[in-house]
Amino acid sequence: HNKEQQVTIKKTASIFTASALALAVAGAAQAVELEVGETTLNLYGYAKLDMIYDVDAKLGNAVGRQNIRLDGEEGSDGHFDAHAWQSRLGFITSTPVGGSTLRTMLEGDFYGANNNFRLRHAYGEWNGILAGQTSTNFGGFLGMTPTIDFNGQPGQANVGRQAQLRYTVDGFSVALEDSGSLGGNLGGQLPDTDDELKNSLPDLTLRYQGSAGDFNYAASGLLRRIEYYSAANDSDEGTTGWGLNLEASAKVAESVTLRGSITHGDGIGGYQYITPGPAGYVDSNGDVQSIKGTGGTAGVSIAAGPGNVNLAYGIATVDIDDAVADGALGASSNDKYEGYFLNYIWSPVRNVTYGVEVGYHTRGVQDGRDGDAVRIQGMVQYNF
């Protein structure tokens, strides 16, 4: 058999690129490696069971803060659930091409509609040019403290995935991204039934990530257009949105790591992770007004035995006072989400991970009312 026909299979440590950081965070520590000619293929994944008990209102498969009852509202308490929908499967390929390396990644899980297989990552990268769907260039993982809840801390830059064209060189990356996906558009009613939301330009994101010893840091920027078509004026009405994000992690002692982030913008929308409100609204004059959003995260991980104790906090806010005063949004619209997490995640042996977590979550609405809920969660995860 010639080289192109030879196939070998072995267990090996996963090969990660900077673009595949989401995989590393997900905890896939091992992979099945196949070599076909000049291409190396790494298959990886895990099966994960989540067992959930909501002390108060039922929050959903992952914490949905919109489900938190406000103080004084009636409803049932005490809800148990279990699912395996975060279970994941993917592969990474690496092939020498034209003096560089062509890398591709395809990954999915079962958090799709009706728990169908959902595409997470699907991209290729060559000579610093990435094309396809992967985590937005605006977000990062440095300020994210590990949680068992799939949604995690609100208020950080969104780490969700969307279609994009990205170029990376020496820690700096710039991308043109799908403008109708993570960031979202206008909230409330449009002035006319014939009006329609539109996205005429891609979102522009920029990011720089670096390190100094045990200190890792990143800064990201965002420019975007939010708009709609006005049938009455036969014209496009819109405004420019922007966002900034700072994030860092630091190992301050042999067993202690600190993480944090700050996110702020005007018209930032869903680029603030788990945002309580939209990117903007249409005022009574038919003009587009952007909505400011501000959030942040903080957390600490402390090594203990075969795992880590993690304490994490996140807050996401939007300023919708003008939108409510103008009548575009109601006074019961959400304007603040918070989350507190305390967990212990450990691996007694390689490829096996256990975890227990308690979370305290709140939401507030523009008229001043608020509510809270407690979730207790456990997990068992088997990697390959």
Side-chain angles (χ1 to χ4, degrees):
H1 299 284
N2 59 31
K3 185 176 182 180
E4 285 72 16
Q5 294 173 313
Q6 293 176 348
V7 179
T8 61
I9 303 177
K10 59 182 178 180
K11 296 289 286 183
T12 186
S14 296
I15 298 174
F16 299 114
T17 66
S19 300
L21 182 57
L23 170 60
V25 172
Q30 292 287 312
V32 177
E33 182 179 285
L34 298 88
E35 294 180 0
V36 183
E38 295 183 329
T39 297
T40 300
L41 170 66
N42 284 273
L43 299 173
Y44 65 88
Y46 57 77
K48 182 188 178 190
L49 171 68
D50 283 300
M51 303 186 73
I52 298 166
Y53 183 74
D54 287 321
V55 176
D56 306 292
K58 183 177 177 63
L59 301 182
N61 302 323
V63 173
R65 288 164 181 82
Q66 71 280 359
N67 297 325
I68 297 173
R69 291 196 303 269
L70 299 175
D71 292 345
E73 293 181 342
E74 296 183 352
S76 62
D77 294 332
H79 303 272
F80 174 80
D81 195 9
H83 66 80
W85 298 327
Q86 191 181 325
S87 299
R88 191 168 299 177
L89 178 66
F91 67 80
I92 300 171
T93 70
S94 177
T95 308
V97 174
S100 186
T101 300
L102 171 63
R103 297 181 175 88
T104 66
M105 183 178 187
L106 185 65
E107 179 188 281
D109 64 13
F110 295 88
Y111 261 109
N114 299 317
N115 314 121
N116 291 324
F117 192 71
R118 175 187 67 158
L119 182 68
R120 287 171 50 85
H121 299 274
Y123 68 85
E125 184 178 22
W126 182 74
N127 268 348
I129 300 174
L130 181 150
Q133 175 174 301
T134 191
S135 300
T136 171
N137 188 48
F138 182 68
F141 294 88
L142 297 180
M144 177 189 293
T145 302
T147 65
I148 296 175
D149 172 60
F150 189 54
N151 281 342
Q153 298 158 277
Q156 59 195 312
N158 201 330
V159 294
R161 298 152 300 279
Q162 63 184 1
Q164 60 190 275
L165 179 65
R166 183 192 303 182
Y167 179 68
T168 303
V169 58
D170 297 332
F172 175 78
S173 53
V174 56
L176 299 176
E177 308 196 23
D178 182 10
S179 53
S181 182
L182 294 180
N185 206 310
L186 304 172
Q189 295 290 324
L190 296 179
D192 193 282
T193 56
D194 293 327
D195 294 343
E196 60 180 283
L197 298 175
K198 62 171 296 185
N199 301 290
S200 60
L201 295 170
D203 294 342
L204 174 66
T205 60
L206 304 97
R207 179 177 175 85
Y208 179 78
Q209 183 167 330
S211 63
D214 291 328
F215 178 67
N216 297 278
Y217 59 90
S220 304
L222 164 72
L223 284 175
R224 62 191 309 255
R225 185 75 177 167
I226 50 176
E227 60 187 331
Y228 78 105
Y229 168 75
S230 170
N233 299 326
D234 189 25
S235 64
D236 294 336
E237 307 292 337
T239 189
T240 299
W242 59 270
L244 295 172
N245 170 253
L246 300 174
E247 56 184 313
S249 67
K251 187 175 182 179
V252 297
E254 185 63 29
S255 60
V256 180
T257 300
L258 302 179
R259 300 178 178 89
S261 70
I262 298 174
T263 304
H264 177 72
D266 196 0
I268 190 173
Y271 282 99
Q272 177 187 207
Y273 186 53
I274 314 182
T275 178
Y281 66 98
V282 181
D283 67 17
S284 55
N285 296 319
D287 297 325
V288 173
Q289 304 294 336
S290 55
I291 291 176
K292 291 184 175 65
T294 304
T297 64
V300 57
S301 298
I302 304 172
N308 290 281
V309 175
N310 300 289
L311 177 62
Y313 170 74
I315 180 172
T317 68
V318 289
D319 183 354
I320 58 173
D321 290 351
D322 290 342
V324 172
D326 198 81
L329 298 176
S332 60
S333 298
N334 298 317
D335 66 358
K336 182 172 71 172
Y337 292 151
E338 288 183 279
Y340 302 79
F341 305 84
L342 175 63
N343 64 55
Y344 182 54
I345 302 173
W346 75 98
S347 294
V349 294
R350 190 177 67 177
N351 292 6
V352 175
T353 304
Y354 300 137
V356 291
E357 177 174 276
V358 59
Y360 174 72
H361 309 285
T362 72
R363 78 174 173 110
V365 297
Q366 193 272 342
D367 63 15
R369 293 176 297 153
D370 55 24
D372 56 30
V374 173
R375 164 167 287 192
I376 301 169
Q377 188 165 348
M379 61 161 279
V380 178
Q381 180 173 313
Y382 298 126
N383 297 342
F384 70 85

